[in-house]
Structure formats: structure tokens, C-alpha cells
Amino acid sequence: DEEGGGGKWRIWFGGDVQGLDSVLPEIVCLHSIQGDEEVDSVSGQVMKNIKWTTFNNAKALVAAKKATPADFWTFAGYAGWGPDQLMGELDRKSWYMCATDSQTLLLELAKQSAYTDPRDAGLDTWELLMTMIGRAATAEECSGDFEDLMVKEWARENLL
């Protein structure tokens, strides 16, 4: 409902821990709203010009007319690791690391928000980001494999 921060919210897949299929999904919102004390009081800094808040806080800011749902990138779930687990996954090339700045990240998130089709389950975003960090060959090698088809099917069943 409009008074409760209603309207349409685009939910992105944040990771497989406490996602939409969880009993208690973890829903976090990123934003770049600047210069408002109420917004700042319920937000934490991620990096320069990018902050995070809970979905409930984001809905309250929308209800208070401090923001709109389009001001947030809303993620359900997260990726998490135990001690040394991420380093092992980086060594196995299961994950890739790169440096970025807030303006590049915000620009890419805005582009993705404008045209990403949820039926693609984020795979188009993954391929774009892999290309941007010089890993286009890896993305191409995996494109259309069984895992991709399964995640697209899951998105069609659970997100649309």
C-alpha cells in the first residue's frame, strides 16, 4: 500500500543465503540518497556515495516521501563465507575480484535497472560484468549451460 512504502519494488538476487526461498529472507537496499538526516539515520555507508538500509527502513522512507522505490536497488539474500572459504573460491576461479569506484557501480546498476529482464535471472548482468573485467571468454564458455537453464527456470517460477 502507498502509506506503507508500497508501489513496485524490483528485487534483485543478492545470493543464495537467506534468499526469497528462505523462511526469513534477508532483504537489503542500496541507495545513493544524499543530504537528508532521516535517510542518513537509517543508513550505513558501503563506499563513497553508496549506502545500505533494511527493506523496512526503505519502505518507511518511501512512505515519508523521502524516496521512491526507484531510488533503491533491493537485494534478497546474500553471499557469505566461512574462514578462508572465499580465498579458496577465488583460487578455484569460482569467484573473481576487481576494484571499482562508486560512480562506476552506480552507473552500471542504473543501466541494469533500466533494461534487465527478470526472466534472464541476472545472467545477462553476469556476462556483462565478466566482460568488463576481462573475463568474456569465461562467460562465453559457461553461457547456456545446464546451471544457467536451471536458474532461468527458477526465476520464471519464483519471480514472475
Side-chain angles (χ1 to χ4, degrees), residues 127-159:
E127 289 172 4
L128 171 72
L129 295 174
M130 289 291 283
T131 299
M132 290 175 70
I133 65 168
R135 301 275 183 189
T138 302
E140 180 67 29
E141 181 181 304
C142 300
S143 184
D145 63 11
F146 180 74
E147 289 84 0
D148 285 1
L149 297 174
M150 290 304 296
V151 76
K152 282 184 178 187
E153 185 60 30
W154 182 92
R156 286 186 185 104
E157 283 290 316
N158 294 281
L159 300 179

Side-chain angles (χ1 to χ4, degrees), residues 31-52:
H31 67 85
S32 59
I33 302 167
Q34 302 294 323
D36 186 291
E37 282 185 35
E38 186 175 345
V39 173
D40 289 344
S41 72
V42 297
S43 301
Q45 192 80 29
V46 174
M47 62 191 300
K48 183 181 177 188
N49 299 322
I50 300 179
K51 299 176 184 175
W52 76 275

Side-chain angles (χ1 to χ4, degrees), residues 99-143:
T100 190
D101 62 86
S102 60
Q103 292 308 312
T104 300
L105 182 58
L106 289 171
L107 180 64
E108 288 308 316
L109 285 171
K111 283 182 194 174
Q112 295 301 311
S113 292
Y115 71 82
T116 297
D117 184 341
R119 292 172 293 195
D120 285 331
L123 295 171
D124 54 342
T125 302
W126 181 79
E127 289 172 4
L128 171 72
L129 295 174
M130 289 291 283
T131 299
M132 290 175 70
I133 65 168
R135 301 275 183 189
T138 302
E140 180 67 29
E141 181 181 304
C142 300
S143 184

Side-chain angles (χ1 to χ4, degrees), residues 34-98:
Q34 302 294 323
D36 186 291
E37 282 185 35
E38 186 175 345
V39 173
D40 289 344
S41 72
V42 297
S43 301
Q45 192 80 29
V46 174
M47 62 191 300
K48 183 181 177 188
N49 299 322
I50 300 179
K51 299 176 184 175
W52 76 275
T53 192
T54 66
F55 187 45
N56 286 337
N57 284 338
K59 290 190 296 184
L61 292 170
V62 169
K65 307 279 191 246
K66 298 285 184 174
T68 69
D71 290 323
F72 298 96
W73 293 277
T74 305
F75 296 90
Y78 61 91
W81 297 269
D84 299 320
Q85 184 182 355
L86 179 57
M87 287 308 297
E89 291 185 17
L90 287 167
D91 290 343
R92 284 190 308 276
K93 307 285 190 235
S94 297
W95 282 87
Y96 297 96
M97 191 171 3
C98 68

